[in-house]
Amino acid sequence: MSAAPEAEIRDWLRAYVAENLNPERMIPLVDRLDSRIVALVPGLADRELQHDLRASTRAQLHSLLVAFTDDEFNVVVPPEAHTLARTVARRGLELRVLMHIYRAGQQAGTEYMADVITEQDLPYTFERAILLRLFELANKWLGISLELLTDTFVEERELSLRDVFTRRAETVRAILAGDATDTDTASRRLGYRLPGRHVAFVVWSDDAAADGDVITALDRVAASIAERVGATNKLTVPSGARGLWAWLAFDSATDLVDLRSDRLADSSIRVALGGWGTGVAGFRRSHREAVAARAVAQSAGGSEWLTDYRDVELVHLLSADREGMRALISRELAGIDGLDVGSARLRHTLHVYLQCQRSPDAAAKVLGVHKNTVRYRIQRVEELLGHDVEGRRLQLETALACAATYGVSG
């Protein structure tokens, strides 16, 4: 069999790129690649690392597709890929983790392209020629990318090893991992007293297009919160390109001021707050709660800048059993579980009514409606549910909280 003409191979690649080089067509492929990479690389369980991975995958895929149409096949490593390499270095992960990410990505990409070509039912000779060309180009892209990104990783690691912030981050990671740590030594390294009382929180930016030093902006928010609540000390550690872990220390068990009335200058920045903790165990537990509160906030997709774990603890715990949580929502809210505006209004009214201790007057003030409107809606809810709301108040409040966060279906 004769080899496929070079011009035909170029034309096929250009046609494929022209059809797929747009955000909508790339999203499912990015999802497929990232899912495969996360499954193959154990160190990527962290949500924020996955955020940086997704940005890198999307940018690298775009760069690779553009290179397919270039006779010179010029490999351009995008800034997002360098960001991921720096994040891996800042987390104290080994270079082999970065290598593993790209090997897994190459494997997933090769499998995807093989599926695409097979579906087109091309002549065997042409199909084989395309696969060989893609394998050749992918190897070249991988080699050049890893060479440049290794330099970025090593540069960041060398800077970090000389940097007090990295020693701080390594100490924090050891504490969070439950490693045996001398409390006094760790406190000196951190410049933060571990035996005392703490409140942990997470600060992050949802704006993927933000310019400038995002970490500096997040640290300013953390400092503002520390001052607002009267903390005696503050500890912050970058958790990625757009995230910050923070802890506040207090001399006594004082009540935190209500931060919800505050406003942040940057609406893309959000905060998730953990509960009180004492000593090293409390340091870890409060952080776990803050991370859990962030996960709930991101799942809910609301506009509130602050999420307190104490407000979402039950929803978080129930979400561990998604099937059971969905069954609870379906059972308790049957009749008002529609996706229409009217059903959503009834659910919201019922939620506020129950939170206001079944007071129509109090609920009306929160909702900005007349108390008779509240009474009518609750009457309508009871008709649709088939029972009075007082009899299953706990189950209803729980189901409503879950539905408000994760939706009534899906």
Side-chain angles (χ1 to χ4, degrees), residues 310-330:
R310 293 170 297 180
D311 295 333
V312 299
E313 181 176 20
L314 186 58
V315 172
H316 166 65
L317 295 175
L318 285 172
S319 69
D321 179 6
R322 286 298 181 99
E323 186 176 345
M325 182 186 68
R326 288 296 172 199
L328 173 72
I329 293 173
S330 177

Side-chain angles (χ1 to χ4, degrees), residues 349 353 359-378:
T349 300
Y353 175 74
S359 167
D361 289 341
K365 290 179 181 178
V366 174
L367 295 169
V369 300
H370 194 275
K371 61 183 178 181
N372 287 339
T373 300
V374 174
R375 290 194 179 100
Y376 168 77
R377 290 179 185 174
I378 296 303

Side-chain angles (χ1 to χ4, degrees), residues 314 318 321-338 347 350 381-389 391-400 402-403 407-410:
L314 186 58
L318 285 172
D321 179 6
R322 286 298 181 99
E323 186 176 345
M325 182 186 68
R326 288 296 172 199
L328 173 72
I329 293 173
S330 177
R331 180 179 63 251
E332 297 299 329
L333 304 184
I336 59 170
D337 58 349
R347 288 194 300 272
L350 176 59
V381 164
E382 291 180 336
E383 291 173 356
L384 291 170
L385 293 178
H387 59 78
D388 68 89
V389 299
R392 298 185 63 78
R393 177 176 176 176
L394 176 60
Q395 294 90 336
L396 281 171
E397 282 199 84
T398 303
L400 287 164
C402 291
V408 291
S409 64

Side-chain angles (χ1 to χ4, degrees), residues 26-304:
M26 287 175 63
I27 287 174
L29 177 52
V30 171
D31 289 340
R32 174 171 172 169
L33 295 177
D34 281 354
S35 296
R36 186 72 170 137
I37 292 170
V38 170
L40 293 173
V41 185
L44 294 179
D46 183 277
R47 192 180 187 117
E48 193 159 2
L49 267 174
Q50 291 177 21
H51 178 278
D52 289 355
L53 170 67
R54 182 172 181 80
S56 175
T57 302
R58 185 169 55 244
Q60 282 280 48
L61 180 59
H62 184 277
S63 177
L64 179 60
L65 289 175
V66 171
F68 279 162
T69 66
D70 183 359
D71 291 339
E72 300 295 326
F73 193 70
N74 291 314
V75 178
V76 178
V77 179
E80 292 86 347
H82 289 284
T83 294
L84 176 63
R86 294 188 185 97
T87 295
V88 171
R90 288 169 183 166
R91 287 295 186 90
L93 300 173
E94 299 298 328
L95 178 59
R96 59 184 174 79
V97 174
L98 184 65
M99 299 287 188
H100 199 177
I101 289 172
Y102 276 84
R103 293 295 181 190
Q106 181 191 33
Q107 178 181 335
T110 300
E111 292 169 355
Y112 171 79
M113 289 307 302
D115 291 344
V116 168
I117 293 171
T118 300
E119 290 173 359
Q120 295 195 13
D121 197 24
L122 301 170
Y124 172 78
T125 303
F126 189 68
E127 177 180 303
R128 186 170 180 274
I130 290 290
L131 285 172
L132 288 174
R133 174 57 55 84
L134 289 172
F135 185 77
E136 173 190 351
L137 295 178
N139 274 340
K140 180 179 179 180
W141 165 79
L142 182 67
I144 295 175
S145 293
L146 282 180
E147 180 178 354
L148 296 173
L149 293 173
T150 296
D151 290 342
T152 298
F153 176 96
V154 171
E155 178 181 318
E156 186 67 30
R157 175 57 62 85
E158 288 175 350
L159 287 172
S160 297
L161 289 174
R162 299 193 300 267
D163 196 315
V164 65
F165 295 110
T166 297
R167 291 197 297 273
R168 179 190 300 172
E170 289 171 350
T171 302
V172 166
R173 281 194 297 273
I175 294 171
L176 296 179
D179 296 344
T181 305
D182 179 77
T183 303
D184 291 338
T185 300
S187 295
R188 286 195 299 271
R189 288 177 179 173
L190 296 174
Y192 180 91
R193 189 171 177 274
L194 288 169
R197 290 177 58 80
H198 326 279
V199 170
F201 60 99
V202 177
V203 192
W204 75 97
S205 173
D206 281 334
D207 186 359
D211 296 325
D213 190 345
V214 176
I215 296 299
T216 297
L218 301 181
D219 199 61
R220 282 197 296 267
V221 170
S224 175
I225 291 174
E227 181 179 1
R228 178 82 168 83
V229 300
T232 57
N233 200 357
K234 171 177 69 76
L235 170 66
T236 60
V237 176
S239 59
R242 301 183 182 280
L244 194 74
W245 294 339
W247 289 262
L248 302 179
F250 297 84
D251 289 335
S252 60
T254 180
D255 287 335
L256 293 178
V257 299
D258 187 1
L259 296 169
R260 287 181 177 79
S261 60
D262 293 350
R263 291 290 181 269
L264 299 182
D266 187 341
S267 60
S268 71
I269 294 178
R270 304 179 69 185
V271 177
L273 189 68
W276 282 103
T278 302
V280 173
F283 182 93
R284 282 195 291 264
R285 185 181 65 253
S286 186
H287 173 72
R288 286 197 302 270
E289 292 174 351
V291 171
R294 171 181 176 170
V296 173
Q298 290 182 311
S299 296
S303 58
E304 293 292 330

